[in-house]
Amino acid sequence: GNDISRLEVVRGFEPVAHLTVEDVRQVVRRYIEDSPFPALSFARFLDVLGDEESDAHKKAFSLLDRQGNGVIDGFMFLAGLCVVCSGPLKERMDLLYGIFDVNRDGALTWDALVLLVKSVERGLTSMTQFEPIGRIDDLAVAMGKRAFQSARRRQRDEALTEGEWFAWWSLDSTVRTTLQRFCFDDADMEGLPPMENCDSVPYEVLAPDAGQAAGDGA
């Protein structure tokens, strides 16, 4: 619906506020090539962004470094960037899939999908005014189950192809309504099924706080 409140990157994240999906593709490429471990120091944070050090970058890193221990979760950072960057939503979600396809073999495992959902939530709550989801662990499991069931995959010993990933998120009204809050023109929705074709999944049965993920109403 048109009544969904749009969300943008909050103050303090100016270094990443205007990145396009193509910019983030290069960030992801550098991360995969240079950072075998999920944790990013400030130096590696600058490296993956391809930027020089500045006060603005120090501020952004400190906002992400919630524990104050000098490292941030690379998965959380990149997952957030994929959602908040500008460009077609399908391209952004394809990038997201590639980050969590950790073996680079076109397969998203159960554990990787659950981690993906939790990383997106953490990234968005850090970088935007997205409200934290109280039972994110339960919601991530519920979404994982739904995605694997819709693809007729067994959770523990199979994985989702990129096409199956697309079929799940693009036709799930909770996911689509959430992502719509980070879309600003019709071109962002290019290639996606109409919202009226989406399935309304009662995630609140398994994760009662899940409703706020979709702006209180999928």
Side-chain angles (χ1 to χ4, degrees):
N2 293 324
D3 57 343
I4 298 170
S5 60
R6 299 303 195 261
L7 292 174
E8 296 181 314
V9 172
V10 297
R11 287 183 63 184
F13 286 102
E14 285 78 8
V16 300
H18 303 292
L19 295 182
T20 66
V21 66
E22 189 53 46
D23 294 331
V24 176
R25 195 185 317 280
Q26 298 307 314
V27 172
V28 170
R29 179 185 58 77
R30 288 189 288 266
Y31 174 82
I32 290 172
E33 289 178 353
D34 302 335
S35 303
F37 304 108
L40 291 179
S41 64
F42 181 59
R44 296 193 84 76
F45 172 74
L46 292 173
D47 287 344
V48 298
L49 285 174
D51 290 345
E52 298 292 327
E53 181 177 332
S54 72
D55 288 343
H57 288 86
K58 290 177 183 176
K59 173 69 172 175
F61 186 86
S62 69
L63 290 171
L64 292 166
D65 180 14
R66 292 176 171 180
Q67 309 300 320
N69 56 12
V71 294
I72 63 171
D73 179 351
F75 285 142
M76 173 266 289
F77 174 56
L78 293 181
L81 283 188
C82 284
V83 176
V84 304
C85 69
S86 62
L89 192 55
K90 184 179 185 303
E91 290 187 31
R92 295 187 241 167
M93 294 300 102
D94 288 348
L95 261 185
L96 187 61
Y97 178 95
I99 294 166
F100 289 87
D101 170 16
V102 291
N103 294 322
R104 317 290 168 220
D105 59 358
L108 190 66
T109 65
W110 164 261
D111 288 338
L113 178 55
V114 171
L115 178 61
L116 180 157
V117 173
K118 292 193 284 189
S119 296
V120 167
E121 188 264 357
R122 291 182 60 218
L124 295 182
T125 55
S126 295
M127 300 165 68
T128 76
Q129 291 180 312
F130 188 80
E131 288 290 324
I133 298 169
R135 295 182 63 186
I136 183 58
D137 289 351
D138 291 341
L139 177 61
V141 168
M143 286 187 161
K145 286 180 178 177
R146 174 67 182 180
F148 272 71
Q149 287 167 358
S150 65
R152 295 178 172 80
R153 295 283 189 186
R154 294 186 301 276
Q155 292 170 19
R156 292 302 171 188
D157 56 357
E158 293 193 80
L160 300 182
T161 65
E162 193 165 1
E164 290 164 344
W165 154 251
F166 174 75
W168 168 63
W169 74 258
S170 68
L171 287 168
D172 186 298
S173 64
T174 299
V175 178
R176 282 285 298 278
T177 306
T178 301
L179 294 174
Q180 205 167 314
R181 302 181 74 185
F182 300 92
C183 295
F184 296 91
D185 58 51
D186 291 342
D188 289 347
M189 302 294 186
E190 193 173 316
L192 302 184
M195 282 293 289
E196 54 265 29
N197 291 4
C198 293
D199 297 324
S200 182
V201 182
Y203 289 117
E204 63 276 6
V205 173
L206 284 173
D209 294 330
Q212 59 183 304
D216 296 317

